[in-house]
Amino acid sequence: MSDPATAPSGASPSSASAPAPATTAALRQSDRPKSRDLRVLVTLWSFVKPYGWQVALAALALIVAAGTVLALGKGLRMLVDEGFASGNSALLDKAVLVLLGVVVLLAGATYARFYLVSWIGERVVADVRRAVFDRVIALSPAYFEINRTGEILSRLTTDTTILQVVVGSSVSVALRNVLLFVGGLVLLMITSPKLTGLVLLVVPLVLLPIIFFGRRVRRLSRESQDRIADVGAYVDESLNAIRTVQAFTHESLDSQRFGQRVEGAFATAVRRISARSALTGTVIVLVFGSISAILWVGGHDVLSGRISAGELSAFVFYAVVVAGAVGSISEVIGDLQRAAGATERLLDLLATDSEIEVPDNPAPLAQPVKGAIVFDRVNFHYPARPEWAALEDFSLEVAPGEKVALVGPSGAGKTTVMQLLLRFYDPAGGSLRFDGVDLRALDPQQLRGAIGLVPQEPVIFAADAWENIRYGRPEASDAEVLEAARAAHCLEFLENLPSGLDSFMGEKGVRLSGGQRQRLAIARAILRDPALLLLDEATSSLDAESEKAVQDALDRLMVGRTSIVIAHRLATVLMADRIIVLDRGRIVQAGSHAELLRDRDGLYARLAALQFDQAEALGRPSYDEVAAK
């Protein structure tokens, strides 16, 4: 029997990974974080540091590339003054060759810079993703009670992608443009202090409108992406629930709502296109208008002999370089702020410690593992519901090899017993011992390695049957996997699939029936060969014929090993050595099936009566007949 009341709220994968439409906007906003504290980006150095040689080579290529861009101005001056103005073809040839040499050097340096910086960006992001995933997957389930899975996925994907753009592009662009700005400004001053003063006067007048329109374009671009995200989220939600959509004949209404989202995305895109078009037109007018003004003033200086034509050409080139550098830096600052926000969120995850602490010197489990269990006055509250006791003053001893069934109404604490045994949580009070060792003194990996779990709703991965069964013991041979599948009565349906055990099970095992998924999970537990077996109503999804076959497999599996079973169906209850009746986190009855039935006013008898009355309607023994036995 499932225990929904004791299962952590918000822990359902489906609810966590598919946020409701009302929360989608809030989630998107957190997907695009910003921070004005750019110092947090320095913390990424620990990920960049291992690749020092690549960083040094990229920095060298960056300096060479920036230097050659500035050298183009000198080459342009030489081409005009020594080539065109002198009328000497030999000097013209020399100037062109020098210019071509600078261009080739620029191309080579740009290639090296782009390749190395992009490589560093991809490598660092891959390392960050691995570090974050390694941290997240080790966190206790308590963390996921109060944190949405969708939020964590956003950090692993969206935030790391932002970092990739910054580390692999934006930082390089920023440094390059800083070098170009400083170098260009110095060369402007050397070439013509008078025209430099004019440029410094004009540049702010040009940049202010560009910055204004640029912000509007960026805002509309984000809004456009949000609308596209709405479209994608609606499609994802509808397709994942396609059976429900069609069962309730909701297709026309969903099509109408989808159309509204598509039109909303289109309208936002039109506003973005309009703003971008205005920005482009404004840039053309301002930039070329400013260049025309500089050319007019510089042209008069050339005519009066104050500067040469080559100097004017070089000056215009440097002015364009400086203006472009300022514009690029202003855009990169926004990227850096987003990256700083993303880095803060990723660092939060990396700094999160699991509530399940691994001891520095874990106690070893004696071999062979026996599976003796002791709950000693255990008290436990789920972190999401601290005011409600899932287990209260709970004491229970289970001997090695004993089969214990847990029964009780929903919310009684049955699933919580299994959660604590797997050490997904630690009790707030009392102690829990496994083979005489307190669970807190054990390495959770070693403890869980001795436990096999068959949940009520088994998880089937999007892989073939081999991989799904071998999940119980990755190093198992094909022969052992086949034997486990045979023992769980899986072969009869797996071999009928198009590719047998090589067949793809589909996302969440969608190609299998509920009973087939359950048997696959049982095969996984059989392959694990654990000392302690936890069965969370493992036969609940099976028809009568499959239940008998699987029950036979479970009976053989439970021989010689400790088994704790959340029981609801009669067949499961009858096979137990002892039945523990829970209610509101406490043990209210314990004994064999026959002993508990004698107490006609007890909770077990009331629960059993409901079962047997239903069974009697199907022609099975009635409550009174079973009680008489």
Side-chain angles (χ1 to χ4, degrees):
M1 180 166 56
S2 64
D3 200 4
T6 58
S9 62
S12 168
S14 60
S15 62
S17 61
T23 65
T24 303
L27 184 59
R28 282 198 309 270
Q29 289 303 316
S30 62
D31 285 346
R32 292 170 173 80
K34 271 196 172 187
S35 173
R36 294 191 178 275
D37 186 6
L38 301 182
R39 290 174 297 179
V40 71
L41 293 174
V42 176
T43 58
L44 291 175
W45 176 247
S46 60
F47 290 96
V48 178
K49 189 176 179 181
Y51 311 108
W53 279 109
Q54 289 86 345
V55 172
L57 291 173
L60 178 61
L62 176 68
I63 293 171
V64 172
T68 49
V69 169
L70 296 174
L72 284 174
K74 289 292 185 181
L76 183 63
R77 176 182 177 179
M78 181 187 298
L79 179 64
V80 173
D81 286 344
E82 298 183 14
F84 297 137
S86 66
N88 189 328
S89 61
L91 290 177
L92 176 61
D93 294 342
K94 179 183 176 182
V96 170
L97 288 174
V98 170
L99 189 60
L100 286 175
V102 173
V103 169
V104 170
L105 181 61
L106 173 61
T110 302
Y111 167 82
R113 177 188 65 83
F114 182 82
Y115 175 82
L116 289 168
V117 169
S118 298
W119 186 94
I120 293 168
E122 295 288 351
R123 183 67 265 169
V124 167
V125 166
D127 292 346
V128 170
R129 281 177 176 154
R130 290 184 62 178
V132 173
F133 182 79
D134 290 347
R135 171 66 66 176
V136 168
I137 204 170
L139 295 175
S140 69
Y143 178 82
F144 299 95
E145 285 188 41
I146 54 178
N147 293 275
R148 296 176 299 178
T149 304
E151 173 76 10
I152 297 168
L153 289 175
S154 169
R155 298 189 190 194
L156 266 171
T157 54
T158 305
D159 289 353
T160 52
T161 300
I162 292 173
L163 287 189
Q164 191 278 329
V165 171
V166 170
V167 178
S169 175
S170 297
V171 170
S172 170
V173 170
L175 293 174
R176 174 176 175 272
N177 282 286
V178 167
L179 290 175
L180 290 176
F181 174 77
V182 174
L185 200 59
V186 170
L187 290 172
L188 282 175
M189 292 292 295
I190 293 173
T191 305
S192 173
K194 173 186 173 182
L195 292 179
T196 301
L198 179 62
V199 168
L200 294 178
L201 179 65
V202 170
V203 165
L205 298 178
V206 173
L207 287 181
L208 286 176
I210 293 176
I211 292 173
F212 172 77
F213 278 106
R215 287 178 177 174
R216 177 172 171 79
V217 168
R218 284 196 295 272
R219 180 178 61 80
L220 289 171
S221 295
R222 289 195 297 269
E223 188 177 338
S224 181
Q225 290 300 315
D226 289 346
R227 300 290 77 76
I228 293 172
D230 283 341
V231 171
Y234 197 84
V235 171
D236 180 67
E237 187 176 41
S238 299
L239 295 184
N240 279 331
I242 189 64
R243 290 176 175 83
T244 303
V245 169
Q246 294 181 357
F248 285 89
T249 62
H250 219 258
E251 297 94 330
S252 60
L253 183 57
D254 280 349
S255 294
Q256 179 184 347
R257 291 176 177 174
F258 178 74
Q260 292 171 352
R261 285 165 171 77
V262 169
E263 292 303 319
F266 172 73
T268 305
V270 169
R271 293 201 303 273
R272 173 179 57 82
I273 292 168
S274 175
R276 194 173 187 88
S277 300
L279 173 61
T280 303
T282 302
V283 167
I284 291 173
V285 170
L286 292 176
V287 170
F288 284 97
S290 301
I291 291 174
S292 299
I294 293 171
L295 284 174
W296 181 78
V297 174
H300 280 282
D301 286 345
V302 171
L303 293 176
S304 63
R306 285 190 288 270
I307 61 174
S308 68
E311 287 175 330
L312 176 61
S313 301
F315 186 89
V316 171
F317 176 81
Y318 293 137
V320 171
V321 167
V322 169
V326 173
S328 295
I329 291 171
S330 66
E331 289 185 4
V332 167
I333 288 175
D335 291 337
L336 294 178
Q337 288 176 339
R338 279 189 289 275
T343 301
E344 287 175 352
R345 301 206 317 162
L346 290 168
L347 290 177
D348 284 344
L349 274 182
L350 289 172
T352 301
D353 293 322
S354 175
E355 294 189 11
I356 303 301
E357 296 181 358
V358 180
D360 294 332
N361 297 299
L365 277 176
Q367 299 297 325
V369 180
K370 298 177 181 177
I373 299 167
V374 176
F375 285 80
D376 186 10
R377 303 179 67 86
V378 167
N379 293 289
F380 176 70
H381 299 72
Y382 280 106
R385 291 169 293 173
E387 74 287 350
W388 183 77
L391 289 179
E392 187 173 3
D393 199 27
F394 182 87
S395 296
L396 174 66
E397 292 189 21
V398 181
E402 186 178 10
K403 303 176 185 65
V404 174
L406 304 179
V407 301
S410 295
K414 305 182 295 298
T415 298
T416 301
V417 171
M418 291 190 174
Q419 302 258 30
L420 293 178
L421 280 172
L422 286 162
R423 209 186 167 205
F424 289 158
Y425 305 89
D426 283 332
S431 64
L432 176 53
R433 297 188 293 277
F434 186 83
D435 277 2
V437 183
D438 193 295
L439 261 61
R440 291 186 179 90
L442 289 170
D443 184 341
Q445 293 281 326
Q446 186 182 22
L447 168 68
R448 294 164 189 164
I451 299 174
L453 172 67
V454 181
Q456 182 179 15
E457 297 180 1
V459 174
I460 304 300
F461 298 96
D464 59 28
W466 294 104
E467 186 172 342
N468 269 286
I469 297 174
R470 196 175 269 120
Y471 201 85
R473 187 156 54 91
E475 71 278 8
S477 66
D478 287 354
E480 290 172 319
V481 172
L482 285 172
E483 183 56 35
R486 185 176 294 107
H489 296 270
C490 291
L491 285 182
E492 56 195 55
F493 67 84
L494 289 177
E495 290 179 341
N496 289 328
L497 293 174
S499 301
L501 273 73
D502 294 318
S503 298
F504 180 64
M505 299 291 99
E507 188 175 358
K508 300 179 182 178
V510 69
R511 297 183 64 184
L512 303 178
S513 69
Q516 289 171 339
R517 289 195 294 269
Q518 195 70 284
R519 278 186 273 175
L520 209 62
I522 292 170
R524 188 184 293 163
I526 292 173
L527 183 65
R528 194 168 182 81
D529 191 25
L532 171 61
L533 184 63
L534 304 178
L535 304 175
D536 188 353
E537 194 52 65
T539 60
S540 63
S541 299
L542 306 181
D543 54 47
E545 182 178 356
S546 297
E547 179 183 0
K548 184 180 185 306
V550 172
Q551 194 63 56
D552 291 341
L554 289 176
D555 288 343
R556 291 196 299 272
L557 176 61
M558 288 188 285
V559 171
R561 73 184 81 238
T562 308
S563 303
I564 296 182
V565 185
I566 292 180
H568 177 65
R569 300 178 76 157
L570 178 60
T572 311
V573 175
L574 292 177
M575 63 84 193
D577 299 324
R578 188 160 45 121
I579 300 170
I580 307 298
V581 185
L582 287 82
D583 189 25
R584 298 181 182 180
R586 292 176 174 269
I587 297 177
V588 294
Q589 288 180 286
S592 67
H593 174 69
E595 291 169 347
L596 294 174
L597 279 183
R598 294 191 190 106
D599 183 3
R600 299 290 291 264
D601 296 326
L603 176 59
Y604 180 82
R606 294 199 302 272
L607 294 173
L610 294 173
Q611 289 281 310
F612 294 134
D613 288 345
Q614 294 171 3
E616 185 177 9
L618 298 174
R620 298 174 183 171
S622 67
Y623 171 81
D624 291 325
E625 290 172 334
V626 175
K629 296 180 181 180

